[in-house]
Amino acid sequence: PVVLHARPALEPHQDGFILVIFDEREPAPQRSEPAAEPPAGAESHAEGDQSETGQTEVDQLEADLDLSRQRMQGIIEEYETSQEELRASNEELQSSNEELRSTLEELETSKEELQSMNEELQTVNQENRHKVEELAQLTSDLQNLMAATQIATLFLDRDLRILRFTPQIGELFNVRHADRGRPLSDLTHRLGYDELQTDAQRVLDKLVPVEREVRDEAGHWYLIRVLPYRSTDDRIEGVVITFIDITTRKEAEESVRESEEQFRALVDASASMVWTTDPEGYVVEDSPSWRAFTGQTFNEWKGRGWLDAVHPDDRARAKQEWQDATETTTPFITEFRVHHAPTDAYRWTSVRAVPLAASDGSVRGWIGMNIDETQRKKAEVALRQSEARYRSLFESIDEGLCVVEVLFDEAGEPADYRFVETNPMFEEQTGLTDAVGKTARTLVPDLEEHWFRTYGEVARTGEPTRFTNGSEPMGRWFDVYAFRPLDAKPHHVAILFKDITTEKRNLEALREAKQTLEARVAERTEQVRDLASTLAMAEQDERRRIAQILHDDLQQLLFGIQLKMTFVRQGAEEATDATLAEHAEESERYLDRAIHVSRQLTVDLSPPVLEGEGLTQTLEWLTTQMEEVHNLTVEVLTEYDFVIPQEGMRVLLFQIVRELLFNVVKHADTDRATVTLDEADEGLIITVSDEGTGFDPATLKPKTEGGFGLFSVRERLRLYGGTLEIESAPGAGTRMTATIPAILAPPTEE
């Protein structure tokens, strides 16, 4: 059983709530079934018992009610206490909630800060990724650049140990990738550069770069630069060494030096005043032709000192025109008077100079020429002195001359010119025999405009002008000089045509001669090299021959003597007089042969007969030697004894004849030969002939000629301006004729 209590909640904040209380009760005792209906007499007694029982139940209910009230009161008190505790807990929860809300806000702020930091970290990470990619790209570019430059480069640390190197280093150093970290001193190289270690240490100590030009074992030239190795924060981390191949540049420098020497020699030999200057127009090289004409020394005329040799009246103009030409790099064409030392007078010269262009288009210097024009200037002065002399000179001068009248248009520009006078030479040069009174455009419709402008300027200003006209198709070149004659009518201009075809062609021939000379010098240089090689081989062969004689003959004889003397010493006690005599006799024979071999070797090396000046005596001695040593009988045919005062020439002729006779011994298969000496206009003629087997000279080649000894003879003769002619045929013998332009003393009659 449960007693249920329900009422409104009493707390203000619990408005609208219902308080429900469940109060458990003890269960009521069970009632038994009613008994059988009692007897009638017993009903009254039963009612009395029932009344007493009811009263007892009421009392029991009141007691229970009081107990319930007490319990209810306890429950209410407990409830109220619980309400107070709940109120306190609620306040604590509200305070905790506020603290949690504040903490949550702080967490939200921290979350936002972490998110911002995360974004910044992502940005930094992305930048680092880009930097890593750029670093990888730069590393790749650097490796490709080092490989593409084809420059051998070596990187060393502060201890001069190898950090890295380009593949080209392997051509100079014995280095592998495994050698990284090894000291530089451990490596061997193919450079003639023993100071490499010292220079690297010096650069590391003083931070001053070092440059050297070094040649390797193969003959290649390298420009070696030793530089400090600086890090990105400008710290010295080691040394960088580069090896740049400059072989081509060195060869070009050598070629330029040789060309300059040849040009200087050509200028020195020239009869004209030829000179050169630097790009600014200052004289820096000597010119013998200028010094011979003006009498100036090199120190007097170098720089701008040449102006001191110019006539005082022409000096300022020449200086200004030369300065204008050098500043504008235009050809310098003028004339001025120059002091002539042989006559101690001033002579007119026409001057032409042109700039020399370098490979980059800049001016690397000037080359010019002064030509003595005194005669022409005198003719011009005489032409202006009097009309009569002018007329006579006009008709008889050997240069083309005409007078024209320049015609100007309304704008004042020269439009045409009319011929006023012409001389016979002009008519001969141009073919215009009836030009007087006619205009140039009528006679020559396709005449270039510069003729009209040039003559118009002379007519307007009175200033003379000079220029060159002509071409190879025309076959003629002219030096044209236009001027306004004295007392001439307005707009009249005199024009002088000097035929310079010969001079032009002479200059061209001089240029071609220079090129031919260069080619001949190159050819002769190659011949000298070949001859030097041949002479070196001949010297080596002679050394081998001497060594073989010493080893096979002289040393063997000396060894035999030594052996015999050993026998004598060891067997002196037991030996008989006959045995000792036999050993002594054999030793004497060995000594005689050794003395003969050494004497013959001495004679071969330096024949004593060469001390005299007579060539015939020398050759006769040679014939004796050829017969004794080689069983070759030689006959010398000559009318008188040739005297050769020059020892070098005498030795050369002896060697040539001996070489030709050796050729007979080796290849002619004969025991007789003839040497003939004769003299002709071209010099001394030596002929060596035999009646041996002979050969076809057409089969000889420069490489195989050395086997006959003829190539060496021919080249040595060529150096002295001589020749060697060979006449031979199989089975018909051989005739070799050497012609030498030797300087002979007067012959001695036999």
Side-chain angles (χ1 to χ4, degrees), residues 80-91:
E80 290 177 351
T81 301
S82 299
Q83 284 291 99
E84 291 296 330
E85 292 176 354
L86 288 173
R87 189 178 298 111
S89 298
N90 186 32
E91 291 176 355

Side-chain angles (χ1 to χ4, degrees), residues 317-334:
R317 176 178 57 82
K319 179 180 179 180
Q320 185 62 44
E321 290 179 354
W322 178 237
Q323 183 174 346
D324 294 342
T326 55
E327 290 177 354
T328 59
T329 65
T330 56
F332 177 59
I333 302 175
T334 186

Side-chain angles (χ1 to χ4, degrees), residues 33-51:
E33 292 292 332
E37 184 177 346
E43 290 179 358
S44 60
H45 180 74
E47 290 176 359
D49 293 337
Q50 185 177 4
S51 175

Side-chain angles (χ1 to χ4, degrees), residues 162 165 175-182 187:
I162 298 175
F165 51 85
V175 63
R176 299 173 299 175
H177 288 287
D179 292 331
R180 291 182 178 178
R182 292 182 61 187
L187 300 182

